[in-house]
């Protein structure tokens, strides 16, 4: 029997909508974005009216808001949207289905979320809502913990959730290029509209130190774990926690924040 193709990320709706199970933890544990990225977006945009697609709990939206941007969020999960509304307005919808009601923006940003958007329909909507000269920027963190922690996580996922798409070997060797296919797919979607200039990539390297509990808090917000049963989650966290204990209870994670960006050209 032929193997059926694995659904594209935006078709994994169960996983896409699993992050709102604990908005407080998600917002507490997920890393912020490099201020250099925020500065670059604002400097390269024609104004300060910004649309935050897949804003989640508002992590990147708050960073832009703190720098003077006027932010509107679009988020499909009502639980996440309610959390983000503590700082800026959010409308609940999948971006492909969202009605902008004639509104346009100077920049569209999407952190850790554009892979949940249909690349063709999302690019077309982005072209619709960006003003000429407006800036599209989608960005992701590549998490690169110490190798023994990556190995422990991959092994724990394989044992606890053998049918999970996150139980494969790719978790064992994370690299700064891990998200390049995702960046390329987003760029292809933008190019297909004929409404954007040539896409380019931005990269920002940084590190963050974690205690055992802080890392497990973050791990519990990852897509491979948010869809787990409580028993599976506890097993995964216990195994990874043991690996962190074995190296003294702390770890330093290398990050590469990778962005794809393009300018909306005049019609």
């Amino acid at each position: 029997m032929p193997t059926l193709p694995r659904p594209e990320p935006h078709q994994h709706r169960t996983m896409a909508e699993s992050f709102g199970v604990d908005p407080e933890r998600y917002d507490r544990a997920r890393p912020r974005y490099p201020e250099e990225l925020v500065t670059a977006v604002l400097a390269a945009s024609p104004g300060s009216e910004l649309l935050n697609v897949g804003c989640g709990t508002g992590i990147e939206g708050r960073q832009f808001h703190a720098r003077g941007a006027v932010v509107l969020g679009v988020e499909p999960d009502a639980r996440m949207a309610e959390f983000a509304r503590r700082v800026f307005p959010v409308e609940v919808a999948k971006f492909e289905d969202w009605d902008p009601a004639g509104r346009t923006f100077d920049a569209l940003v999407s952190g850790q979320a554009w892979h949940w958007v249909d690349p063709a329909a999302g690019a077309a909507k982005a072209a619709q809502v960006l003003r000429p000269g407006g800036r599209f920027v989608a960005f992701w963190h590549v998490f690169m913990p110490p190798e023994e922690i990556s190995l422990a996580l991959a092994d724990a996922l394989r044992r606890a959730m053998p049918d999970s798409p996150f139980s494969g070997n790719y978790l064992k060797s994370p690299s700064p290029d891990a998200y390049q296919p995702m960046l390329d797919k987003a760029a292809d979607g933008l190019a297909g509209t004929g409404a954007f200039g040539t896409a380019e990539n931005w990269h920002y390297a940084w590190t963050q130190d974690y205690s055992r509990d802080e890392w497990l808090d973050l791990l519990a917000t990852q897509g491979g774990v948010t869809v787990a049963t409580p028993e599976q989650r506890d097993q995964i966290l216990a195994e990874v926690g043991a690996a962190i204990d074995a190296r003294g209870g702390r770890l330093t994670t290398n990050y590469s924040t990778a962005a794809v960006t393009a300018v909306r050209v005049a019609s």
Side-chain angles (χ1 to χ4, degrees):
M1 180 179 294
T3 301
L4 296 176
R6 182 171 288 176
E8 291 293 317
H10 69 272
Q11 297 171 320
H12 274 294
R13 295 315 306 170
T14 298
M15 188 174 294
E17 295 165 10
S18 69
F19 299 102
V21 65
D22 189 346
E24 295 277 353
R25 169 182 260 172
Y26 185 99
D27 195 78
R28 176 180 69 245
R30 284 289 181 119
R32 276 44 184 167
Y33 295 91
E35 283 300 318
E36 296 91 339
L37 170 64
V38 176
T39 297
V41 172
L42 294 176
S45 301
S48 61
E49 292 186 276
L50 184 148
L51 181 67
N52 188 185
V53 173
C55 68
T57 58
I59 292 172
E60 70 268 27
R62 290 197 303 272
Q63 289 184 251
F64 283 100
H65 179 271
R67 297 283 294 275
V70 178
V71 180
L72 173 66
V74 178
E75 167 57 46
D77 191 315
R79 299 165 297 183
M80 304 280 266
E82 186 61 29
F83 193 103
R85 285 193 188 109
R86 298 176 184 182
V87 175
F88 57 86
V90 182
E91 298 179 7
V92 177
K94 288 175 58 180
F95 181 59
E96 304 94 315
D97 302 331
W98 175 65
D99 180 9
R103 291 167 292 181
T104 58
F105 301 86
D106 297 305
L108 182 158
V109 299
S110 183
Q112 297 288 122
W114 193 254
H115 56 291
W116 301 122
V117 177
D118 180 278
K125 182 64 68 70
Q128 177 186 353
V129 301
L130 281 171
R131 298 165 185 151
R135 172 72 58 171
F136 172 96
V137 194
F139 41 93
W140 293 266
H141 294 312
V142 182
F143 297 74
M144 295 175 286
E147 183 178 15
E148 65 266 34
I149 305 303
S150 294
L151 289 168
L153 174 56
D155 290 343
L157 282 168
R158 187 178 64 251
R159 281 189 285 267
M161 303 174 67
D163 296 328
S164 168
F166 286 85
S167 62
N169 289 331
Y170 83 98
L171 276 174
K172 295 188 176 183
S173 300
S175 75
D177 298 327
Y179 280 176
Q180 193 59 48
M182 204 174 290
L183 300 175
D184 293 342
K185 183 172 291 186
D188 290 344
L190 298 174
T193 68
F196 289 90
T198 302
E200 59 181 306
N201 293 161
W202 297 342
H203 294 275
Y204 304 89
W206 52 287
T207 62
Q208 187 161 324
D209 295 325
Y210 291 94
S211 68
R212 176 189 189 275
D213 290 346
E214 288 169 342
W215 179 255
L216 296 183
D217 209 23
L218 171 61
L219 181 57
T221 73
Q222 300 298 304
V225 182
T226 54
V227 295
T229 66
E231 294 77 16
Q232 290 170 329
R233 183 187 65 241
D234 290 346
Q235 178 182 340
I236 293 165
L237 296 183
E239 291 189 26
V240 177
I244 299 172
D245 288 340
R247 64 188 321 275
R250 298 195 67 84
L251 70 154
T252 297
T253 293
N254 295 317
Y255 284 91
S256 177
T257 300
V260 57
T261 182
V263 174
R264 175 69 163 92
V265 297
S267 302

